[in-house]
């Protein structure tokens, strides 16, 4: 054999290839960013050799629901993800992200969720995807966010789109898909997605059907007790009626009892909907405080207008009397809501003490009632406030394990990295799947399917999520005896254990548990996209 000038050989590991087949002892060759031979790989002069004895060589994990859109450039975020074996994140979630448009509105609205993008200022999906090429050690796939599309065309108008507006929204979706987006996302509890009806969303799926993309949705109605209604709407949108011939669907963060999920997903399949879902291995959530405790119209306002209204004594009195009683009626919160909302982030320097405390505790510290404390917090942070949300039904590990065992499940973290005390799911989800749910939901071979191969298949990443000659060399080397999460609600940034070496597009981006500083990541485009850049084509 002729020596390759830049060849790495992973020696002595057990390869778990993502097909569901049994692990096997094999060496693995990496050259030119791709997997070469898998099996007996003879040594050549100049090889870089990684000793994998006692470890599994697995396909790099794909986070099917991530909010690292603007933060994959941050070394702390990179390290948190790579230490979990995550090599690809799917952004553009919940209907809100930077492109299309100049990114200003989405950066403001989701400042406490996605954070800002350091360079994107316009140019659409093609420009956004190009911003990830060789600029991070992680791959980024992107969904056209339907809320951003609606905002570009209609602003925050709450009414139905007319024919001209709908055609323009369809054009923006088609342009984004043509530039390489993997699908379309909606966030139907956020604005302006909350104002879009099923007919509009079905129409937006017409270009998706033509391109073969995936419809990804944060369903309407808050999940849990309303999951049945949410899934019925998803099934109707995906089957299309007279609007399109049908699209595949994917439900984001499916919060519901496992038995209910099985029943409802079977009903959707019987209706003709091809659905998958992600769900992170925790029961508590994380979202914007304003979404949880304010009327939706507040999120539709300009920030200055919203802050002015919340500062008005008459408006505060109205909210106290007419709105806040309904917060106590929310099925996921109930009357104890002040003790269930724990602040994760506020940009207000005078409130830097608040993250890590519940609204009830903040009210006690300030000597005010909880309504005033909540509104003061939102005004000071100009609505850029997120929180970890407890739930009334803390489902046990056994219930979550049953949900993760479902054949339609893919790994997703819903990871939000913004905040002094974020949710531990950002730093812990994929390691928690390995440390807690291998042996409960799936074996190690199944873990590679749930955490890599199935997401690659659903999102159209044809040569990722599996280990085979010619595939992209996205690889995680896992110590099965040590793999576990360390992040907790009190120490949410603690790094995962058991994954110390990771390759992205053949680049050794994590070595001995530390970043190498090499930037092998790319913006991942659909293979059929007619983008002028082929740098990140999977």
């Amino acid at each position: 054999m002729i020596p390759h000038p830049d060849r790495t050989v992973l020696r002595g590991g057990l390869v778990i290839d993502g097909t569901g087949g049994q692990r096997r002892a094999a060496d693995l060759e990496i050259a030119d960013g791709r997997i070469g031979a898998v099996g007996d790989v003879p040594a050549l002069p100049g090889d870089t050799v990684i000793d994998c004895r006692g470890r599994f060589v697995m396909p790099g994990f794909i986070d099917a629901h991530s909010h690292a859109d603007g933060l994959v450039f941050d070394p702390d975020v990179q390290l948190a993800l790579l230490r979990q074996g995550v090599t690809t994140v799917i952004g553009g979630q919940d209907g809100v992200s930077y492109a299309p448009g100049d990114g200003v509105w989405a950066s403001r609205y989701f400042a406490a969720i996605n954070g800002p993008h350091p360079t994107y200022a316009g140019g659409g999906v093609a420009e956004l995807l190009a911003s990830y090429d060789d600029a991070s050690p992680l791959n980024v796939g992107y969904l056209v966010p339907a809320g951003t599309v609606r905002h570009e065309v209609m602003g925050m108008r709450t009414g139905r789109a007319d024919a001209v507006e709908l055609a323009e929204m369809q054009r923006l979706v088609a342009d984004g898909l043509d530039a390489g987006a993997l699908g379309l996302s909606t966030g139907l509890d956020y604005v302006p997605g909350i104002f879009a009806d099923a007919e509009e969303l079905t129409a937006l799926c017409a270009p998706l059907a033509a391109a073969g993309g995936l419809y990804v949705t944060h369903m309407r109605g808050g999940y849990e007790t309303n999951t049945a209604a949410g899934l019925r709407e998803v099934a109707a949108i995906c089957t299309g009626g007279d609007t399109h011939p049908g699209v595949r669907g994917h439900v984001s963060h499916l919060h519901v009892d496992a038995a209910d999920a099985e029943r409802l997903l079977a009903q959707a399949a019987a209706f003709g909907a091809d659905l998958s879902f992600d769900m992170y291995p925790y029961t508590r959530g994380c979202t914007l405080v304003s979404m949880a405790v304010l009327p939706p119209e507040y999120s539709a306002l300009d920030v200055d207008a919203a802050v002015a209204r919340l500062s008005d004594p008459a408006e505060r009195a109205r909210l106290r009397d007419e709105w806040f009683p309904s917060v106590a009626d929310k099925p996921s919160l109930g009357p104890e809501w002040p003790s269930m909302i724990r602040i994760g982030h506020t940009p207000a320097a005078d409130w830097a003490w608040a993250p890590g405390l519940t609204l009830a505790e903040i009210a006690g510290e300030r000597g005010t009632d909880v309504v005033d404390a909540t509104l003061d917090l939102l005004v000071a942070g100009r609505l850029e406030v997120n929180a970890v949300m407890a739930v009334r039904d803390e489902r046990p590990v056994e219930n979550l394990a049953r949900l993760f065992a479902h054949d339609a499940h893919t790994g997703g973290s819903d990871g939000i990295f913004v905040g002094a005390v974020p949710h531990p799911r950002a730093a812990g989800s994929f390691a928690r799947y390995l440390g807690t749910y291998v042996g409960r939901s799936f074996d190690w071979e199944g873990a590679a399917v749930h955490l890599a191969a199935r997401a690659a298949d659903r999102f159209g990443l044809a040569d990722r999520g599996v280990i085979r000659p010619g595939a992209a060399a996205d690889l995680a080397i896992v110590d099965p005896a040590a793999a576990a999460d360390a992040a907790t609600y009190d120490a949410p940034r603690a790094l995962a254990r058991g994954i110390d070496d990771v390759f992205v597009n053949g680049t050794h981006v994590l070595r001995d548990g530390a970043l190498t500083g090499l930037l092998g990541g790319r913006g991942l485009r659909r293979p059929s996209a007619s983008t002028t850049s082929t740098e990140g084509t999977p």
Side-chain angles (χ1 to χ4, degrees):
M1 293 180 66
I2 300 173
H4 190 285
D6 185 23
R7 189 176 86 145
T8 297
V9 179
L10 309 184
R11 289 212 181 276
L14 290 172
V15 172
I16 299 176
D17 64 11
T19 66
Q22 288 298 305
R23 70 197 74 169
R24 62 187 176 114
D27 302 328
L28 186 148
E29 175 190 41
I30 301 171
D32 297 324
R34 298 276 164 180
I35 296 169
V38 181
D40 183 12
V41 179
L44 292 175
D47 284 349
T48 298
V49 177
I50 308 296
D51 182 358
C52 297
R53 287 175 296 178
R55 295 190 286 175
F56 294 152
V57 179
M58 301 181 70
F61 303 144
I62 297 172
D63 189 340
H65 189 104
S66 174
H67 289 287
D69 304 39
L71 294 171
V72 293
F73 310 99
D74 183 327
D76 290 337
V77 173
Q78 296 164 4
L79 186 61
L81 289 166
L82 292 170
R83 285 282 291 265
Q84 298 176 72
V86 173
T87 56
T88 295
V89 297
I90 308 297
Q93 301 285 350
D94 295 331
V96 181
S97 194
Y98 314 111
D102 60 13
V104 172
W105 170 75
S107 296
R108 192 280 300 170
Y109 181 34
F110 263 27
I113 294 181
N114 289 350
H117 190 291
T119 61
Y120 178 80
V125 171
E127 186 70 22
L128 180 63
L129 286 172
S131 76
Y132 299 119
D133 290 337
D134 301 317
S136 166
L138 294 150
N139 297 318
V140 181
Y142 190 71
L143 304 165
V144 179
T148 302
V149 167
R150 193 178 213 265
H151 184 267
E152 282 294 297
V153 175
M154 299 177 62
M156 280 299 174
R157 186 161 62 81
T158 62
R160 299 185 71 184
D162 61 30
V164 173
E165 291 167 333
L166 192 57
E168 177 62 10
M169 285 192 279
Q170 288 178 316
R171 184 190 68 78
L172 289 174
V173 172
D175 286 351
L177 294 167
D178 190 53
L182 305 175
L184 175 75
S185 81
T186 58
L188 304 184
D189 285 330
Y190 295 102
V191 299
I194 198 171
F195 307 133
D197 60 21
E199 183 178 344
E200 176 181 315
L201 300 173
T202 305
L204 292 188
C205 283
L208 196 65
L214 189 67
Y215 174 67
V216 180
T217 183
H218 170 130
M219 298 187 303
R220 199 183 310 275
Y223 291 77
E224 300 292 352
T225 58
N226 200 50
T227 296
L231 275 173
R232 282 195 297 271
E233 183 180 54
V234 174
I237 291 167
C238 288
T239 51
D242 297 330
T243 306
H244 59 75
V247 297
R248 295 169 305 122
H250 182 88
V251 179
S252 299
H253 41 64
L254 184 60
H255 289 280
V256 69
D257 174 77
D260 288 340
E262 292 167 353
R263 174 176 54 83
L264 295 170
L265 289 166
Q267 290 176 358
F271 187 74
D274 176 1
L275 300 183
S276 55
F277 69 93
D278 61 73
M279 171 58 192
Y280 49 83
Y282 304 83
T283 52
R284 300 181 193 179
C286 181
T287 192
L288 297 172
V289 172
S290 59
M291 191 187 85
V293 303
L294 292 180
E297 58 264 26
Y298 266 89
S299 295
L301 293 172
D302 173 80
V303 173
D304 289 337
V307 168
R309 283 182 62 176
L310 291 176
S311 302
D312 177 24
E315 174 65 0
R316 285 183 171 228
R318 184 188 74 82
L319 290 172
R320 181 189 301 277
D321 294 340
E322 299 177 11
W323 174 257
F324 274 93
S326 70
V327 176
D329 292 333
K330 290 188 176 184
S332 61
L333 291 173
E336 301 302 316
W337 64 268
S339 299
M340 299 177 74
I341 300 175
R342 186 187 192 194
I343 301 305
H345 166 71
T346 174
D350 291 348
W351 289 73
W353 53 271
L357 300 180
T358 67
L359 292 175
E361 290 168 337
I362 289 170
E365 288 285 330
R366 301 184 76 245
T368 63
D369 76 350
V370 74
V371 171
D372 279 333
T374 300
L375 296 179
D376 288 346
L377 173 66
L378 289 169
V379 167
R382 295 179 57 78
L383 275 63
E384 186 186 325
V385 184
N386 70 28
V388 175
M389 311 288 290
V391 294
R392 301 171 82 177
D393 178 18
E394 291 270 3
R395 295 194 303 281
V397 164
E398 292 74 21
N399 191 276
L400 293 177
R402 180 174 170 180
L403 186 61
F404 300 147
H406 197 286
D407 286 344
H409 170 259
T410 68
S413 70
D414 199 4
I416 295 172
F417 293 90
V418 178
V421 189
H423 195 297
R425 68 194 188 192
S429 285
F430 280 76
R432 193 173 182 87
Y433 286 127
L434 300 181
T436 302
Y437 293 96
V438 168
R440 286 188 170 98
S441 302
F442 32 67
D443 57 16
W444 282 99
E445 287 77 5
V449 173
H450 281 258
L451 307 185
R454 185 168 294 137
D457 176 66
R458 295 299 289 181
F459 286 89
L461 303 175
D463 65 349
R464 298 179 195 272
V466 292
I467 293 176
R468 63 166 180 255
D474 292 350
L475 300 161
I477 304 173
V478 182
D479 180 348
D485 59 309
T488 66
Y489 290 109
D490 292 325
R493 296 187 184 275
L495 296 172
R497 301 185 294 265
I499 300 176
D500 292 332
D501 289 278
V502 175
F503 290 80
V504 175
N505 296 305
T507 300
H508 201 175
V509 294
L510 186 77
R511 180 189 293 118
D512 297 329
L515 296 175
T516 64
L518 301 175
L519 307 177
R522 297 173 185 164
L524 301 184
R525 288 87 166 170
R526 290 185 312 107
S528 59
S530 60
T531 175
T532 56
S533 171
T534 59
E535 226 9 72
T537 301

